[in-house]
Amino acid sequence: MRTKKMKTLFLALAFAVISALVGCSDKNASVGNGNGEKIELTFMFRGQPQEQTAYKNVVKKFEEKHPNVKVNIVVTSPDQYATKLRAAIAGRKIPDVFYFNPGELRAYVNSNVLLDITKYVENSKGVNLQDIWEKGVNKYRFDGEKVGQGNLYGLPKDLGPFALGYNKTMFEKAGIPLPDKDKPYTWQEFIDVCKKLTKDTNGDGKLDQWGTGLNATWTLQAFVWSNGADWIDESKTKVTVDDPKFIEALQFFADMQNKYKVTPSIAEAQTLDTYQRWLRGQLGFFPVGPWDLAAFDQQIKFEYDLIPWPAGSTGKPATWVGSLGIGVSSMTKHPKEAVELALYLSADPEGQKALVDQRVQLPNSVKVAEEWAKDPSIKPANKQEFLDIINNYGRSFPTEYTYNGEWYDEFYRNLQPVLDGKMSAEEYVKKAKPKMQKLLDQAIEQEKQASKK
Amino acid sequence: MKYSYDIEGGERREAEKKPPIVLVSKGKIYAYLFISAPVIGFLVFTFVPSLYSLYGAFTDWNGLGQMNFIGLDNFKALFKDEYFYKAMYNTIFMMIGIPIGVVLSLLLALALNRGVPGTNVFRVIYYIPVISSIAAISILWQWAYNGDYGLVNQFLGFFGIKGPNWLQNVHTVKPALIIMAVWKGLGYTMLLYLAALQSVPKTFYEAAKLDGANALQSFWYITLPMVKPVTFFIIVTSVIGGAQIFTEIDVMTPNGGPEFSSASIVWYIWQKAFGNFQLGYASAMAVILGIFIFIVTYIQFRLNERSRFDMD
């Protein structure tokens, strides 16, 4: 850049670039207005390959039913989805219909990314809201204060109840009475059974079968909640991890490994190992989600079934129900058709049937799900447990009620010493609570700031 | 940029021989046309977004809605954030792999340069990790590091060593990531060194031999200085790349590792921006990282200038 000539050239280039950028005006390909012209919708979603195929077929069916609508599909792998969606939102190029995480609901409503679809859903002729799980729909209600009530900003793509499975074959071999499918174990009973199952079966002096092996990130909730505690209070503004009932549950969770020794050793606690061990038939109890069924069909050589999670002091089991939402962009030019598509994806019986046959998810429509649960040809036998979780004892993650999940991540970030038995649960929560509260306060503040705009 | 000093030197010498260069010759126009493609690419995809991010660093942008100017608040919060320091420390710690990689790849290149039979085969083998997808490699290494049935611990088991659970252990997670990074980069640096070694004139070695230099001396006084530009290039680009390590962290330790011990600075930026709706804060971190990289690179160039080796 030593000469005027070059400078001018660069300036010209820079100018061209910037004007090109500015010129990226928001143009929607469609000019459809119902008189024979095609309406174009963009649908952005994520999935594993088999899931992508299944959903593409459902979209095709939707297009057959609505000849005036053309759906452009944008699909990503699960791990890239969040980044791509945020980029689209930041650039104000929000797809008409898209998946989103229920934990993002508050932020998206607050910043006017999601359309309030209440009245469109009520007026829809296609799908009846009563056909979809109430618990699933309620995850996407928000009244400006609390999640779970008020107007509707999304529909569940599916629900993911996290059940507890047990290795029936192992029980029979050990001559232990099978667990009751309706009456949960107490914690004490659970430990007793696990102790019986933890043993060296081939006499080489090394354990090769364990009671269980649980990952704190996904299963601690079951113990905390069923003991009557939670990470956060009813108002969703106060962190409550120093509740004695919480401490008790966390300590129990860590003790399974360190005191009762019914899980594989410390070093292997948080790896995929336990999943692999379960597949190989080395564990008595292991969590099972609906997304596992297809893999288990192919890889498991023993009999397994589902039971309720062991119950703490409340006497009731608890676990989480995950979900993914389908939302409609607040900027869509065709809200009616976009909501139609979202409804169709969420609950159309025909589409649901196709998805269930592909074994990618649990049916979203209550009717289809009940038939599915009764079908003896699909393993495991007690699929009703999934539905019980949805109807009775399943809950949302604590982060689904807050603006972001940083405060909750903080809890898990330094938890390892507790799980390794190097620190007591009590000591840990006392340390973690103020940090968590600070992050939660920040999130609440951030939400206030954002809604002022 | 890389060899600016060479080019300048060359131009200076040319200028002594030739009449001054005319800028507006036809050839030059074409040349500019050709270089305009990467320049435009840089402006659109790097320069303008960087400016945007610089502005974002001074706002409370959440990535969804408007941006409100909040002055230096992000930076103030940043310097009080223990995780920022931890992520920075982790990132710098993982750069230990750079000198290790340089030494190893130079040794390999020397070995291959001696005309071992099958050089081409080895070259290909070492280069495969370089062209493989980093995400796929991360998944493979995740298996290899598995505490229970991973390849690494099985290998250690042969010698009766009970290996740790690499990725779940605060003390081993960073070394595990370093080993992987060295392994992945080895082929690339080795190839550069191999090219550099092959361009060293044989006559130098012959002359040194006549003067009675032994192998070690000729390596020290001839080979090393001759490949120095390559070493410089590798270290500069590795530091820039190492400061931005992300994919392997995200794949192998999705939560930033046990007790945040493997979270790199870019991983933390990403977490803040896309996990917690704090794009303004994340931009502030990115600005600090950018300044850091710039300063480190500048220092490297200065150090390199001081010990410049001229081949005249």
Side-chain angles (χ1 to χ4, degrees), chain B residues 263-275:
Chain B
S264 70
I265 188 75
V266 173
W267 186 87
Y268 191 43
I269 288 172
W270 177 82
Q271 180 74 15
K272 281 281 183 189
F274 297 114

Side-chain angles (χ1 to χ4, degrees), chain B residues 80-303:
Chain B
K80 284 196 218 126
D81 180 353
E82 57 166 319
Y83 289 123
F84 167 70
Y85 293 107
K86 205 158 182 185
M88 227 27 196
Y89 166 78
N90 291 340
T91 308
I92 293 168
F93 187 98
M94 284 189 249
M95 287 188 195
I96 291 172
I98 297 171
I100 299 173
V102 165
V103 173
L104 279 180
S105 53
L106 181 55
L107 289 175
L108 271 177
L110 284 169
L112 288 184
N113 199 33
R114 305 192 63 129
V116 192
T119 301
N120 289 345
V121 178
F122 280 111
R123 256 198 330 220
V124 169
I125 289 174
Y126 287 123
Y127 206 70
I128 285 173
V130 181
I131 51 169
S132 312
S133 137
I134 180 75
I137 283 183
S138 303
I139 290 170
L140 283 178
W141 276 85
Q142 203 178 10
W143 291 339
Y145 280 134
N146 185 301
D148 190 27
Y149 52 85
L151 207 61
V152 178
N153 281 1
Q154 281 189 357
F155 177 73
L156 291 174
F158 282 135
F159 306 97
I161 304 167
K162 187 155 180 6
N165 193 341
W166 290 89
L167 298 174
Q168 268 70 34
N169 181 318
V170 180
H171 306 291
T172 53
V173 65
K174 279 198 279 280
L177 288 161
I178 289 169
I179 292 169
M180 182 185 121
V182 168
W183 173 85
K184 182 168 167 41
L186 214 53
Y188 174 71
T189 36
M190 185 201 70
L191 215 62
L192 288 175
Y193 271 133
L194 204 54
L197 289 175
Q198 281 165 352
S199 68
V200 179
K202 292 269 183 299
T203 48
F204 287 17
Y205 293 115
E206 285 157 12
K209 225 180 191 147
L210 285 176
D211 291 339
N214 62 24
L216 203 63
Q217 282 169 321
S218 54
F219 170 75
W220 191 257
Y221 292 105
I222 299 168
T223 315
L224 266 190
M226 289 303 287
V227 299
K228 192 161 180 290
V230 172
T231 308
F232 173 70
F233 169 76
I234 289 168
I235 289 180
V236 170
T237 50
S238 310
V239 168
I240 293 172
Q244 301 178 45
I245 184 169
F246 169 76
T247 309
E248 44 272 63
I249 311 276
D250 193 47
V251 173
M252 292 165 83
T253 56
N255 302 316
E259 296 169 56
F260 213 67
S261 55
S262 67
S264 70
I265 188 75
V266 173
W267 186 87
Y268 191 43
I269 288 172
W270 177 82
Q271 180 74 15
K272 281 281 183 189
F274 297 114
N276 303 316
F277 305 104
Q278 297 167 19
L279 234 82
Y281 189 87
S283 299
M285 266 197 276
V287 168
I288 301 279
L289 175 66
I291 293 170
F292 169 80
I293 293 178
F294 180 82
I295 291 171
V296 170
T297 309
Y298 178 76
I299 291 170
Q300 286 175 314
F301 268 93
R302 288 307 298 264
L303 288 177

Side-chain angles (χ1 to χ4, degrees), chain A residues 6 33 40 54 81 88 92 97 102 107 110 136 172 210 235 253 265 326 328 338 343 396 433 445-446:
Chain A
M6 254 176 118
N33 47 10
E40 288 202 29
Y81 184 80
R92 281 292 169 202
V97 181
N110 181 326
E172 284 161 355
W210 294 265
S235 71
F253 189 92
S265 70
I326 306 176
V328 173
L343 272 167
S396 293
K433 189 192 170 183
E445 188 51 35
Q446 215 185 321

